[in-house]
Amino acid sequence: MNFLAHLHLAAHTDSSLTGNLLGDFIKGPLPTGLNAPFDEGIWLHRKIDGFTDAHPEHRAAVACFEAPWRRFGGILVDMLYDHWLSQHWSQFHEHPLPSFLQQSYARLLADHRILPDGLPAPLMRMAQQNWIASYHHREGLGQALNSIGRRLRHPLPLGDALLTLDESRWRRCEQGFLRFYPELMAFSRQQLAKYRSETAIHHQTS
């Protein structure tokens, strides 16, 4: 999943927004030495990504892209999921997306001051430049994908992949997202409840 989904799922589970985004940048075993809420968010991020990548709806969406784009299908579908989440935001969150993003960015920038190395540069730019708002429109999504494509080992206009989806496949994948995302929300809550229970038991017995 991409930035918006991880922020939303962090809020949905009442876990660290920053920690959930750090999962893209911090690898290796836990604990990391950061504050416990950050580690919890990183752990949840990994669970979310594993569940998403293995889900039949996500795999079906990746399969909608033909060569040479399918090799980038994971990136494309994760970004598409952020697009559809923003399009259908009111189904999944009670507050308007602009205010949610403003509050999320404020939290990220506040945590920047307490992280030993600060926020990773891409997260700082995202918070300062409000990248996520652009995902709401296909044009903005294409531009965001082109920006990712320029950073690939062999740069290419990744946004062009969206042009290969006819309206039928686009709608089929969108409906797949709408079936999948409530499952991911429930999974995230269940996994985090399990994590917190096991962590509490560990602390009691150590």
Side-chain angles (χ1 to χ4, degrees), residues 89-110:
W89 182 256
S90 62
Q91 293 186 34
F92 303 112
H93 201 277
E94 59 182 346
H95 298 301
L97 181 57
S99 62
F100 173 82
L101 290 177
Q102 185 178 26
Q103 293 170 8
S104 297
Y105 296 148
R107 179 71 265 164
L108 291 172
L109 294 173

Side-chain angles (χ1 to χ4, degrees), residues 19-145:
N20 274 273
L21 293 193
L22 287 176
D24 274 331
F25 302 92
I26 295 179
K27 310 302 180 182
L30 298 172
T32 61
L34 300 175
N35 292 346
F38 295 139
D39 278 356
E40 180 184 84
I42 293 167
W43 181 90
L44 181 59
H45 177 114
R46 295 174 182 178
K47 288 292 183 180
I48 288 167
D49 281 358
F51 180 84
T52 299
D53 291 344
H55 198 281
E57 294 289 3
H58 189 274
R59 291 183 173 183
V62 169
C64 284
F65 291 96
E66 300 174 357
W69 304 112
R70 187 174 295 178
R71 63 181 296 205
F72 306 105
I75 298 171
L76 293 165
V77 173
D78 284 353
M79 292 291 286
L80 274 167
Y81 278 8
D82 264 13
H83 168 72
W84 287 321
L85 177 56
S86 71
Q87 289 270 312
H88 300 280
W89 182 256
S90 62
Q91 293 186 34
F92 303 112
H93 201 277
E94 59 182 346
H95 298 301
L97 181 57
S99 62
F100 173 82
L101 290 177
Q102 185 178 26
Q103 293 170 8
S104 297
Y105 296 148
R107 179 71 265 164
L108 291 172
L109 294 173
D111 285 345
H112 171 71
R113 294 191 288 270
I114 64 174
L115 286 166
D117 298 318
L119 287 172
L123 295 185
M124 278 293 290
R125 290 195 297 271
M126 179 199 71
Q128 292 170 338
Q129 300 170 18
N130 192 16
W131 289 353
I132 294 175
S134 70
Y135 300 170
H136 186 77
H137 303 286
R138 288 199 201 188
E139 181 181 353
L141 178 64
Q143 292 172 350
L145 284 167

